[in-house]
Amino acid sequence: MGACSGSHGVEDETAEVVLHIYDVSGAPAIKAVNEALRAVGTGAFHAAVEVYGQEWSYGYLERGTGVFACPPKGCSAHSYR
């Protein structure tokens, strides 16, 4: 068994997990660069996951771990795609 397999005493349940992709920052220059780089399959992005109706991601915070939550598609530091 792998390091992440097994129930670990928790009842099996399923939850939908949605990946949200943002352009890093909302700056027009970043959006333009990402559009140009899209042709070669790259760019500067921020990603978050939505679980149980809450979006989770990480980034710079003055205090804590850097992990934070916000409403789905609602990270104000970046521009949602």
Side-chain angles (χ1 to χ4, degrees):
M1 268 194 193
C4 293
S5 52
S7 66
H8 304 286
V10 178
E11 262 187 58
D12 287 339
E13 64 178 79
T14 60
E16 181 179 50
V17 177
V18 178
L19 177 65
H20 295 288
I21 304 296
Y22 296 79
D23 285 313
V24 168
S25 93
I30 298 294
K31 285 184 172 183
V33 168
N34 277 348
E35 285 303 316
L37 292 174
R38 179 182 253 178
V40 292
T42 192
F45 303 104
H46 171 78
V49 292
E50 178 184 343
V51 183
Y52 297 116
Q54 190 76 349
E55 183 178 295
W56 295 90
S57 61
Y58 71 95
Y60 174 76
L61 297 174
E62 288 187 29
R63 300 167 87 181
T65 64
V67 175
F68 62 93
C70 64
K73 304 176 187 175
C75 184
S76 60
H78 305 290
S79 179
Y80 186 75
R81 282 206 149 228

